[in-house]
Amino acid sequence: MDAYLIDAVRTPVGRRGGGLASVHPADLAGHVIIAVLQRTGVDPAAVDDVVLGCVDTLGPQAGDIARTAWLAAGLPEEVPGVTVDRQCGSSQQALHFAAQAVASGTADLVVAGGVQNMSAVPIGAAMTVGEQFGFRTPFTGSVGWEKRYGGEEISQFRAAELIAHRWNLSRLDMEAYALRSHHRALAAIDGGLFERELVPLGDCAVDEGPRRDTSAARMARLPALTEGGRVTAATASQISDGASAVLVASGRGVRSHGLTPRARVHHLSARGADPVLMLTAPIPATAYALNRAGLRIDDIDLFEINEAFASVVLAWLAETGADPERVNVHGGAIALGHPLGATGTKLCATLLNALEQRGGRYGLQVMCEGGGQANVTILERL
């Protein structure tokens, strides 16, 4: 059985302390949920489940934010919700769970998406709060973990630096890539290419991250994140706030509700790799997905790989042989921001629109994730 994408929406991405900073995460997520239901004309009571991704689920993001967001939006109490944490790939995994549910015949309509207010709940807050209970890291005290990985520092920043060295990526290489991300994002904004996916909220009507005044010279003046390192804030994703949602339907759901799908989920999978190197899993995950889907890299018209760090994308490009002109054509998280739990379905919305704008058939989306994991979704535009 098939899983169809009916529509996909997202808020503009707000900078830390920007236009979305004061919005409660439940209201952020509720905003996009209502938008995707209104745009598709689906009766909310017909939805079988709500699956949202979120990281650092404490404070306003605790207590199953998927359920809270649905109820805060004034939607029917009989519809349940569940929150997923696969780190940066949380909402992409939410999409996978939704697609699996409808493809299995156990559901006909599922809202999938994600939310993150990083201004309100800082990145890594769920880990640092553990210190008051005596856990310096999530791995502290695990005999099995320490036997396998010892006292290795587990950090995305260290991982990004290790990747830069292993693939011989210079600071200049990464800054050139970052500058291109800003240029592409600004061109997409100015060309109205995000308009179909955006649902403005309050005064936040456009992505706040891209910097018109950035330049190679400005980037060159920034200090490295680690002493003697190559990675800087300019070549890393931005801390951001935002939400995104998609409506996933079965064939029966499409027929019974008179829906017009925009795409079909052609393939979905997730793979793991070295958790210390952490951010390299998109490389084997892409190879695995293409093999399972019976496709070659050249069969893919457009790619979205999350720009957690420039080194991640550049290493992936080097190993996969993907055409850089098909990758993140509207910019990425270095320019547009990375609201952790929301980014997966945010990228899905952008990929879907870009495929339609360019007349492509297949789009591949992949995310690096904490723990050394990666989700891959291949969409077929209809």
Side-chain angles (χ1 to χ4, degrees), residues 11 20 62 90 98 106-107 111 128 144 171 190 192 224 234 304 316 321 359 365 371:
T11 64
L20 298 178
S90 294
T106 57
V111 173
T128 56
R171 176 168 170 166
D190 294 344
E304 283 289 332
W316 179 85
Q365 175 186 332

Side-chain angles (χ1 to χ4, degrees), residues 203-330:
D203 294 330
C204 188
V206 65
D207 294 305
E208 296 177 345
R211 302 177 188 276
R212 294 187 183 274
D213 61 350
T214 195
S215 66
R218 281 176 176 265
M219 290 183 178
R221 290 196 291 268
L222 292 175
L225 297 179
T226 57
E227 186 175 351
R230 304 177 186 180
V231 178
T232 73
T235 57
S237 56
Q238 297 185 36
I239 292 173
S240 312
D241 309 321
S244 56
V246 301
L247 179 65
V248 185
S250 66
R252 182 171 59 190
V254 166
R255 293 188 297 273
S256 62
H257 294 278
L259 302 172
T260 302
R262 296 176 63 189
R264 181 179 69 87
V265 177
H266 183 76
H267 170 86
L268 54 82
S269 59
R271 304 299 289 168
D274 181 355
V276 178
L277 203 52
M278 192 185 297
L279 310 175
T280 60
I283 296 168
T286 298
Y288 177 86
L290 290 172
N291 182 60
R292 288 294 298 265
L295 295 170
R296 297 172 296 108
I297 197 80
D298 291 340
D299 293 325
I300 306 299
D301 297 290
L302 292 174
F303 301 87
E304 283 289 332
I305 172 169
N306 189 39
E307 291 176 0
F309 297 88
S311 60
V312 172
V313 184
L314 291 172
W316 179 85
L317 281 167
E319 294 296 323
T320 63
D323 180 357
E325 295 307 312
R326 301 184 187 186
V327 177
N328 297 357
V329 294
H330 293 163

Side-chain angles (χ1 to χ4, degrees), residues 99-273:
Q100 289 165 336
V102 303
S104 72
T106 57
D108 286 326
L109 295 174
V110 179
V111 173
V115 63
Q116 204 81 32
N117 188 325
M118 300 176 76
S119 296
V121 182
I123 184 172
M127 297 184 185
T128 56
V129 76
E131 293 176 5
Q132 65 184 297
F133 304 114
F135 296 95
R136 184 176 55 83
T137 75
F139 319 105
T140 300
S142 168
V143 174
W145 180 274
E146 291 176 1
K147 181 179 179 181
R148 186 166 189 179
Y149 298 108
E152 288 271 14
E153 177 190 349
I154 306 299
S155 161
Q156 61 177 326
F157 304 107
R158 180 185 182 221
E161 196 69 50
L162 290 172
I163 291 168
H165 284 268
R166 181 169 295 191
W167 272 268
N168 195 29
L169 303 168
S170 70
R171 176 168 170 166
L172 284 176
D173 292 332
M174 293 184 283
E175 288 174 347
Y177 180 85
L179 189 59
R180 183 173 68 180
S181 182
H182 281 275
H183 289 165
R184 286 182 171 182
L186 289 166
I189 291 170
D190 294 344
L193 300 181
F194 292 137
E195 287 182 2
R196 185 173 182 183
E197 66 204 60
L198 286 179
V199 284
L201 178 55
D203 294 330
C204 188
V206 65
D207 294 305
E208 296 177 345
R211 302 177 188 276
R212 294 187 183 274
D213 61 350
T214 195
S215 66
R218 281 176 176 265
M219 290 183 178
R221 290 196 291 268
L222 292 175
L225 297 179
T226 57
E227 186 175 351
R230 304 177 186 180
V231 178
T232 73
T235 57
S237 56
Q238 297 185 36
I239 292 173
S240 312
D241 309 321
S244 56
V246 301
L247 179 65
V248 185
S250 66
R252 182 171 59 190
V254 166
R255 293 188 297 273
S256 62
H257 294 278
L259 302 172
T260 302
R262 296 176 63 189
R264 181 179 69 87
V265 177
H266 183 76
H267 170 86
L268 54 82
S269 59
R271 304 299 289 168

Side-chain angles (χ1 to χ4, degrees), residues 74-96:
L75 297 167
E77 291 181 339
E78 61 267 28
V79 178
V82 63
T83 303
V84 176
D85 179 359
R86 202 194 282 270
Q87 299 293 278
C88 294
S90 294
S91 59
Q92 188 172 358
Q93 183 60 54
L95 169 59
H96 284 199

Side-chain angles (χ1 to χ4, degrees), residues 34-90:
I34 290 173
V36 80
L37 293 174
Q38 289 179 339
R39 284 174 44 154
T40 57
V42 164
D43 178 359
V47 173
D48 294 297
D49 206 353
V50 181
V51 188
L52 294 187
C54 189
V55 185
D56 293 316
T57 51
L58 49 79
Q61 295 175 169
D64 189 359
I65 189 66
R67 174 67 170 162
T68 307
W70 180 267
L71 296 176
L75 297 167
E77 291 181 339
E78 61 267 28
V79 178
V82 63
T83 303
V84 176
D85 179 359
R86 202 194 282 270
Q87 299 293 278
C88 294
S90 294

